[in-house]
Amino acid sequence: MADSTPSMDAGNARITIERTYDASAEDVWVLWTTKQGIESWWAPDGFTVEVRTLDLRPGGELVYAMTATATPQIEFMKNAGMPLTTESRKTFTEVIAGERLAYTSLADFIPGVAPYESATVVDLLPGAGTVRVVMTVDPMHDDDWTQRLIAGRNNELDNLATVLAG
């Protein structure tokens, strides 16, 4: 597996994170689009995810609960004035099986910040025995939260690599 440093597109400030895995696009697609797959890797370290709703079609939703389970993450959530479990909602905007998954995420969990949506596009580009995952995301409302987003996505993609290797 190779990874790349996140890059920002100066034209629209979107962030791109890329990874190449020794796996098929089909295997990665299943992990990204099924309840069992999502629950196996989606959460950053120190959290768990429980999928509550998964309607994989444009206009459909993914609703999941993310719960802090490790001491540092529990302390962070408490110190930030956030509950240990937060429910997240994503609305799919594009679904091309085995190739592309696009969705908007509702950021409604940040104390003192009005809820807003941000977009994510995940492209799966198959190679010879590999798949390159290109994730393009909108930045968050400020640089601190954008850096947290990048760190979280990188950690999740590391977790995806672990699941694929297992």
Side-chain angles (χ1 to χ4, degrees):
M1 174 191 75
D3 64 347
S4 66
T5 304
S7 62
M8 298 213 37
D9 176 343
N12 63 9
R14 298 203 75 206
I15 300 154
T16 301
I17 304 169
E18 298 184 30
R19 297 289 170 91
T20 300
Y21 300 102
D22 293 327
S24 68
E26 294 78 19
D27 288 344
V28 173
W29 182 259
V30 166
L31 289 172
W32 215 292
T33 61
T34 63
K35 176 179 173 29
Q36 182 178 354
I38 293 166
E39 290 176 350
S40 73
W41 71 274
W42 191 280
D45 290 345
F47 291 85
T48 60
V49 162
E50 175 196 350
V51 173
R52 295 182 172 169
T53 302
L54 179 57
D55 182 6
L56 189 65
R57 62 178 177 82
E61 290 186 325
L62 166 62
V63 179
Y64 62 92
M66 186 177 301
T67 302
T69 56
T71 302
Q73 288 76 5
I74 291 169
E75 290 304 313
F76 171 81
M77 298 298 278
K78 286 180 179 178
N79 291 337
M82 298 170 67
L84 297 184
T85 298
T86 56
E87 187 173 89
S88 295
R89 181 175 310 274
K90 301 184 181 317
T91 302
F92 296 109
T93 56
E94 189 174 7
V95 178
I96 303 172
E99 295 179 23
R100 175 176 271 202
L101 189 64
Y103 52 86
T104 58
S105 300
L106 180 61
D108 62 352
F109 53 87
I110 306 162
V113 176
Y116 63 94
E117 288 190 339
S118 63
T120 299
V121 176
V122 179
D123 287 305
L124 305 181
L125 307 168
T130 65
V131 61
R132 185 165 53 119
V133 175
V134 180
M135 180 188 290
T136 307
V137 297
D138 287 341
M140 296 203 59
H141 61 280
D142 69 23
D143 189 55
D144 184 43
W145 278 88
T146 298
Q147 292 309 311
R148 289 179 187 167
L149 170 72
I150 292 168
R153 295 298 171 262
N154 276 310
N155 181 242
E156 290 165 0
L157 292 175
D158 289 346
N159 292 345
L160 178 60
T162 299
V163 171
L164 287 165

